[in-house]
Amino acid sequence: KSSQIAEVSSTDAAPGKRVISDLRVSQLLSLIARGREVAGIADTAPLTNFSLLANGENVMDGSIQSAVSLLEESSIYDPPVLKNKSALFDLNGSWRLLYADASEITRLYQLPARFRPESVFQRVNIPRLTFENQAFLKGPLGTRGNIRVVSEFGISPKGSVNFIDKVNLAEDRIEVRFLAVILSLSRLGYLPLPFLKRVVRPRRASKEESTNGIGPSLDTTYLDGNIRVGRGGDGSLFVLAKDLNDPSEALSEDRVKKLRVEDKIFDAAQATVETIEEPLPQSKSLRDGVIPDEEASEPRKKRRKNIFRRIYRRIRGRPVEDEQVDDLNKSGEFAYAWAALRSLCKGDMERAIEDGNKTSIMRAANILTQYNPTLLPAVSESLNDVWVQVFASNQSGVLSGSLGPLQATVEVKIDVPSEGFSGEATTNGSAINPGGLRVDYNGRIRVLGSTRVEIEVPAARYQVFSTPLYLKSSRTGEEPLKVWDITYLDEDYLMMKSRLNAELNIYKRKI
């Protein structure tokens, strides 16, 4: 069980605090593991108070609650946690739910058609001030589905009061705004069902709709590199573990904007979808100034008027005009810690590249993508430059520098406005071939979205023995057309991930 928990170290913790907290974390995890055995649920599924009470384990549930309270007293970070850059580094990423007593979690064990949760993940993105909750469900006859809740958050002001009248004194509270609920039925036996999906609105709590204006919130009461404890605004308890084995990934900002939400609401407490009787008032974004959202505030009539122009620009591979690039280094409530966090992640990746360990490189790159500073990299001017490849996960084809048994140094030049994508791969010389082998190609790059491009390399020219003679061939080792997601772009690095086989290429800007 412990192997599934990410080993992320917390640097600001005093040694004495760390020893005490580690002991109490171990005690809490042991209680949760015993609770799972008693309740008869899978190792990855969340344990709930409902599961324990249904099996007559009132004492064990009380022991878990007491162990959590004890752990909260041994916090390794001094408040406010949300202003500590090491704590923010720990908080960012994917978390798997271990225990909860919230009604929206206990209701997952009472879903119709015998659907039950296999695991529940929460993906926190500190730079973009967003997080997602996703419950992976398993039903009879190999049926698979999931419930994904897309949310944004902001820092709650000091002195604010939540549903249970608890005052935010430690400044460790975030305010949450739920944007959409995505209900998906993904598989029936061996038959994939990607088209069975509904996007609806989340129900607002009755207290949130009251005149005092109190909305959902979450207090971070304990945090380290492995374990997090949170208290909801209604007093509900959540215990989570850092887990890099997340079976899915967070939706991109572009995909969230394109969600078409039905005029229906999802009641998590009752696990039902209901029709909206009257329009809900538009709530203010908690991330104003961080993520541009012109389309959300644009009148519907104007959006309809421009629909054909938008479709035409998409077909031609041109970016939609209102998709403007924003730089997270210059905005947002966490801007003061952003540069330090990104620098720390880049250092980890650079050391992994120097060591040449593929597993470490992939892991470090995966963490760094969570701190991508460029919201719309495919249409960013920063993409247009000369890049030197420093890592390729799949050693095949000219794009990865694989020339038969030889491994080459790769340089690519990208010019999105002219759809230009050219590259050069060269190998070191040898006694037989002092000049080495050189391959160059002129391809085409086309923008498919704000984070996605299509690259075509139809042919390449091969030069051997440093002669001026080139041999042109269509044998490039690449697919004729390959779609890539740009997962990271900054002043130093570019990372692209293939949609075809998930290969990862990392480039460094040529100086």
Side-chain angles (χ1 to χ4, degrees), residues 314-508:
R314 288 288 185 190
I315 293 174
R316 298 295 296 173
R318 301 172 186 170
V320 177
E321 291 175 356
D322 60 1
E323 292 179 346
Q324 301 296 326
V325 178
D326 189 22
D327 187 354
L328 287 171
N329 285 313
K330 301 176 182 177
S331 58
E333 296 179 75
F334 294 105
Y336 60 89
W338 170 242
L341 291 172
R342 187 160 60 92
S343 177
L344 180 63
C345 293
K346 284 168 65 174
D348 290 343
M349 187 182 74
E350 288 169 348
R351 285 188 290 272
I353 291 174
E354 288 178 4
D355 295 339
N357 187 305
K358 180 178 178 180
T359 303
S360 299
I361 295 172
M362 296 288 287
R363 184 172 183 268
N366 182 47
I367 295 175
L368 181 58
T369 56
Q370 301 171 3
Y371 294 89
N372 182 16
T374 310
L375 291 180
L376 311 175
V379 295
S380 171
E381 293 183 0
S382 181
L383 180 62
N384 303 315
D385 209 335
V386 178
W387 302 87
V388 179
Q389 189 179 89
V390 294
F391 173 75
S393 63
N394 185 20
Q395 300 295 332
S396 65
V398 295
L399 290 181
S400 64
S402 179
L403 307 177
L406 303 176
Q407 191 60 36
T409 301
V410 178
E411 286 188 11
V412 297
K413 183 179 181 180
I414 300 175
D415 185 18
V416 173
S418 64
E419 298 189 350
F421 184 88
S422 58
E424 178 182 284
T426 56
T427 65
N428 295 326
S430 62
I432 300 176
N433 179 19
L437 176 64
R438 178 183 176 187
V439 179
D440 64 81
Y441 47 87
N442 287 310
R444 181 176 65 90
I445 185 170
R446 191 166 69 93
V447 176
L448 300 182
S450 58
T451 61
R452 188 167 299 169
V453 296
E454 180 185 68
I455 296 176
E456 178 183 10
V457 182
R461 297 194 307 166
Y462 295 80
Q463 181 190 26
V464 190
F465 301 117
S466 301
T467 65
L469 177 64
Y470 281 88
L471 302 175
K472 188 173 182 179
S473 172
S474 60
R475 295 175 64 87
T476 63
E478 302 289 347
E479 294 291 325
L481 289 174
K482 187 178 284 188
V483 178
W484 297 80
D485 285 329
I486 301 178
T487 57
Y488 186 86
L489 175 65
D490 69 0
E491 67 277 5
D492 296 318
Y493 287 98
L494 163 67
M495 291 197 288
M496 300 197 304
K497 195 172 186 179
S498 170
R499 300 282 297 179
L500 178 66
N501 53 11
E503 66 178 288
L504 174 68
N505 286 355
I506 304 177
Y507 300 89
K508 190 171 184 179

Side-chain angles (χ1 to χ4, degrees), residues 158-407:
K158 186 176 181 179
S160 59
V161 180
N162 62 10
F163 289 164
I164 57 175
D165 297 327
K166 183 179 179 181
V167 181
N168 178 26
L169 298 176
E171 297 184 80
D172 292 332
R173 178 176 299 166
I174 61 172
E175 298 175 349
V176 182
R177 175 175 174 249
F178 298 108
L179 304 176
V181 180
I182 305 174
L183 310 172
S184 303
L185 188 62
S186 55
R187 183 171 291 276
L188 177 60
Y190 293 100
L191 178 65
L193 303 171
F195 49 85
L196 292 182
K197 181 181 296 185
R198 297 187 68 178
V199 183
V200 297
R201 304 178 188 275
R203 174 180 287 280
R204 298 181 184 178
S206 57
K207 288 189 178 182
E208 183 191 2
E209 296 169 347
S210 62
T211 54
N212 58 17
I214 298 176
S217 63
L218 181 68
D219 292 359
T220 301
T221 55
Y222 177 84
L223 174 68
D224 63 31
N226 298 327
I227 297 296
R228 175 162 65 99
V229 177
R231 300 275 183 176
D234 57 356
S236 53
L237 172 64
F238 303 90
V239 181
L240 306 99
K242 201 61 160 303
D243 195 338
L244 297 180
N245 298 319
D246 190 341
S248 185
E249 58 185 14
L251 297 179
S252 68
E253 201 70 39
D254 193 43
R255 290 185 62 187
V256 172
K257 282 187 177 183
K258 293 176 181 177
L259 291 176
R260 295 293 178 258
V261 184
E262 300 180 38
D263 287 332
K264 297 182 182 296
I265 55 175
F266 177 74
D267 189 343
Q270 301 297 326
T272 57
V273 176
E274 304 170 1
T275 303
I276 299 177
E277 296 181 358
E278 55 185 53
L280 294 174
Q282 181 70 26
S283 56
K284 186 179 183 294
S285 173
L286 300 174
R287 301 181 298 157
D288 287 346
V290 179
I291 304 296
D293 194 12
E294 294 88 351
E295 186 171 349
S297 58
E298 188 180 13
R300 183 175 299 178
K301 183 177 180 181
K302 184 179 178 182
R303 292 204 300 269
R304 285 201 302 265
K305 179 180 178 181
N306 297 331
I307 186 65
F308 294 107
R309 178 173 58 84
R310 291 165 179 265
I311 292 174
Y312 174 75
R313 294 184 66 85
R314 288 288 185 190
I315 293 174
R316 298 295 296 173
R318 301 172 186 170
V320 177
E321 291 175 356
D322 60 1
E323 292 179 346
Q324 301 296 326
V325 178
D326 189 22
D327 187 354
L328 287 171
N329 285 313
K330 301 176 182 177
S331 58
E333 296 179 75
F334 294 105
Y336 60 89
W338 170 242
L341 291 172
R342 187 160 60 92
S343 177
L344 180 63
C345 293
K346 284 168 65 174
D348 290 343
M349 187 182 74
E350 288 169 348
R351 285 188 290 272
I353 291 174
E354 288 178 4
D355 295 339
N357 187 305
K358 180 178 178 180
T359 303
S360 299
I361 295 172
M362 296 288 287
R363 184 172 183 268
N366 182 47
I367 295 175
L368 181 58
T369 56
Q370 301 171 3
Y371 294 89
N372 182 16
T374 310
L375 291 180
L376 311 175
V379 295
S380 171
E381 293 183 0
S382 181
L383 180 62
N384 303 315
D385 209 335
V386 178
W387 302 87
V388 179
Q389 189 179 89
V390 294
F391 173 75
S393 63
N394 185 20
Q395 300 295 332
S396 65
V398 295
L399 290 181
S400 64
S402 179
L403 307 177
L406 303 176
Q407 191 60 36

